[in-house]
């Protein structure tokens, strides 16, 4: 982290993880075992401007990148014991899966303050894009255990998934009597746009879909004598289907998944109300 002066700072980070030879044995009773090699890379930069007075109080710009590489070696065996020992005579099929996902993120948000710090407005935009590469190769005794490329892996090669969001959130204190009454009101809105593309999905052909969903939130809380908090809140949710739900075909371990190009976005409404008490003995 670098302090650039005048409330401006730059933070950068890299996180990496490698997990090799991780076994998955939940399929052993049906003669199925898998070995995973996973490698993760994530890096980001955050440029941050902060001020203690004036209208502009906070300004953030973030750039991020995440890469996942997963390789799976899967054995199908005649019995559970054959899978435990990986005896050559007991193996009927070997499969190699290789999936990679590269994702980029760009995010901007700012906080504005007015009316003697009694009104805060947060607004921003963020966007991300993911590119998927997927490969599968199978080998059997009939092929002399030579691996042969299949038409597709877990996902369609070259699949894309991305989205962009714009949001605003307002929180104000219309009535304040310090130490006695503090009324806080808030409201917000977000518009999310999700798009996806996957070529040559089995049974569906090219899948190309887009969803746009506005959501809203509003709430209030009344704090009395710094002891009692009475609150109520309403919030909406929006979630578009992801590539796995729409395009994956095959046995993923505990389930057999089938592509479904007719999935719709999910929406939700949540209402919450309650009372909190804070006291030295409670």
């Amino acid at each position: 982290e670098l302090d650039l002066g005048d409330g401006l700072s730059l933070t950068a980070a890299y996180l990496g993880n490698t997990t090799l030879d991780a076994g998955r044995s939940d399929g052993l009773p049906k003669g199925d075992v898998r070995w995973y090699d996973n490698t993760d890379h994530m890096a980001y930069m955050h440029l941050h401007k902060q001020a203690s007075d004036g209208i502009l109080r906070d300004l953030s710009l973030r750039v991020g990148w995440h890469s996942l590489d997963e390789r799976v070696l899967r054995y199908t065996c005649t019995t559970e014991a054959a899978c435990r020992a990986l005896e050559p005579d007991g193996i009927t099929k070997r499969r190699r899966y290789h999936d990679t996902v590269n994702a980029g993120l760009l995010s901007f948000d700012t906080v504005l303050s007015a009316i003697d710090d009694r009104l805060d407005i947060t607004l921003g935009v963020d966007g991300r894009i993911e590119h998927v590469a997927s490969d599968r190769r199978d080998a059997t005794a009939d092929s002399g255990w030579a691996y042969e490329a299949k038409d597709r892996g877990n996902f369609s090669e070259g699949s894309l998934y991305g989205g962009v969001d714009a949001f605003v959130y307002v929180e104000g204190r219309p009535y304040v009597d310090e130490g006695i009454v503090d009324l806080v009101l808030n409201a917000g809105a977000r518009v999310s746009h999700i798009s996806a593309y996957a070529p040559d999905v089995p049974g569906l052909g090219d899948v190309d879909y887009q969803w746009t969903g506005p959501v809203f939130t509003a709430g209030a809380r009344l704090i009395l004598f710094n002891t009692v908090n009475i609150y109520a809140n309403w919030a909406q949710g929006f979630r578009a289907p992801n590539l796995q739900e729409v395009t994956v075909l095959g046995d993923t371990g505990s389930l057999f998944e089938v592509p479904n190009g007719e999935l719709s976005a999910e929406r939700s409404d949540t209402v919450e109300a309650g009372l909190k008490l804070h006291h030295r003995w409670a």
Side-chain angles (χ1 to χ4, degrees):
E1 182 174 352
L2 297 177
D3 185 352
L4 303 178
D6 196 25
L8 187 64
S9 64
L10 177 65
T11 302
Y14 165 78
L15 303 172
N17 177 70
T18 298
T19 303
L20 303 178
D21 295 329
R24 178 174 174 177
S25 58
D26 57 311
L28 273 178
K30 57 181 182 181
D32 183 277
V33 67
R34 308 179 192 201
W35 296 94
Y36 289 79
D37 290 342
N38 283 338
T39 302
D40 268 291
H41 301 281
M42 187 177 75
Y44 70 88
M45 288 194 303
H46 178 200
L47 185 64
H48 184 213
K49 170 71 174 179
Q50 193 170 27
S52 58
D53 54 16
I55 295 178
L56 180 62
R57 294 301 177 86
D58 195 282
L59 187 67
S60 287
L61 176 66
R62 304 175 186 86
V63 178
W65 166 74
H66 179 214
S67 177
L68 166 68
D69 185 288
E70 179 177 84
R71 299 171 187 265
V72 182
L73 178 57
R74 181 177 182 180
Y75 295 92
T76 301
C77 316
T78 55
T79 64
E80 176 180 341
C83 263
R84 288 182 179 275
L86 291 182
E87 301 168 346
D89 292 342
I91 298 173
T92 59
K93 180 182 286 188
R94 299 173 184 164
R95 280 162 284 189
R96 291 186 179 273
Y97 299 87
H98 184 199
D99 297 316
T100 62
V101 181
N102 282 282
L105 167 72
L106 179 63
S107 174
F108 167 82
D109 59 74
T110 185
V111 178
L112 308 176
S113 184
I115 315 178
D116 296 328
D117 294 341
R118 289 171 57 181
L119 178 66
D120 291 331
I121 303 173
T122 303
L123 49 92
V125 177
D126 61 64
R128 60 269 179 213
I129 184 69
E130 303 175 21
H131 177 269
V132 180
S134 189
D135 177 75
R136 173 182 166 183
R137 299 174 182 272
D138 290 5
T140 62
D142 293 340
S143 66
W145 297 112
Y147 283 96
E148 300 176 351
K150 306 299 288 185
D151 291 338
R152 93 179 222 137
N154 287 316
F155 299 91
S156 296
E157 175 71 21
S159 295
L160 296 172
Y161 191 86
V164 61
D165 301 87
F167 61 88
V168 59
Y169 178 79
V170 180
E171 182 170 282
R173 303 167 69 196
Y175 184 80
V176 180
D177 189 348
E178 292 294 345
I180 299 176
V181 177
D182 191 355
L183 175 63
V184 183
L185 304 178
N186 66 74
R190 173 186 288 266
V191 178
S192 299
H193 177 78
I194 302 295
S195 61
Y197 171 73
D200 300 324
V201 177
L204 300 179
D206 292 350
V207 170
D208 189 351
Y209 63 90
Q210 299 183 5
W211 289 99
T212 300
V215 293
F216 303 92
T217 183
R221 64 181 183 271
L222 181 64
I223 301 175
L224 303 175
F225 307 106
N226 290 328
T227 300
V228 177
N229 180 2
I230 304 170
Y231 63 91
N233 189 71
W234 164 66
Q236 292 186 311
F238 169 81
R239 176 184 177 276
N242 60 42
L243 285 177
Q244 172 141 347
E245 296 165 325
V246 175
T247 69
V248 166
L249 172 66
D251 181 5
T252 57
S254 59
L255 302 170
F256 190 93
E257 301 195 39
V258 177
N260 185 352
E262 301 300 320
L263 289 178
S264 299
E266 301 172 3
R267 301 189 64 93
S268 67
D269 286 273
T270 301
V271 177
E272 180 184 31
L275 182 146
K276 296 179 181 179
L277 175 68
H278 175 75
H279 195 273
R280 65 174 181 241
W281 46 262

